[in-house]
Amino acid sequence: MPSQSEVLGMMRSAFSDVQWTLEEKVTEGDTVAARFTMRGTHDGEFFGIPASGNKISVQAMNFYYLAGGRIVGERGQPDLLGVMQQIVAVPAP
């Protein structure tokens, strides 16, 4: 499983203008759930798919686990199918 910095590096190399917008968050105890919208232009290779120039906009859901006021773990679920459809690597329904 790639680290958070590896995932960010991969996203930035495939979508050099990538931006994440925090849409909502919910905190319960030492866990924070956050829903983001990710937007960018596919201007680099992504999972072997050459740059299409297409703009993408997809949702992602992340859970952050805290201890002592610091993030000690993270689990993310981006809409990779939506990304692949928008860069025309997978047919859209």
Side-chain angles (χ1 to χ4, degrees):
M1 185 135 227
S3 71
Q4 181 179 6
S5 63
E6 290 170 331
V7 170
L8 289 175
M10 180 180 66
M11 295 308 295
R12 290 190 193 284
S13 68
F15 305 91
S16 64
D17 62 348
V18 69
Q19 293 183 343
W20 290 271
T21 303
L22 179 62
E23 303 293 350
E24 66 182 305
K25 68 177 178 155
V26 176
T27 303
E28 185 174 309
D30 289 336
T31 303
V32 176
R35 184 175 61 83
F36 297 90
T37 300
M38 183 181 82
R39 293 178 181 87
T41 306
H42 181 219
D43 54 6
E45 187 176 298
F46 185 68
F47 286 108
I49 308 301
S52 66
N54 291 2
K55 298 222 180 267
I56 63 153
S57 178
V58 295
Q59 297 287 303
M61 184 75 192
N62 286 18
F63 291 90
Y64 300 96
Y65 305 101
L66 311 173
R70 294 179 173 257
I71 297 173
V72 295
E74 175 191 14
R75 181 175 298 263
Q77 186 61 53
D79 179 10
L80 287 178
L81 177 59
V83 171
M84 298 303 263
Q85 289 173 333
Q86 290 177 45
I87 66 172
V88 194
V90 173

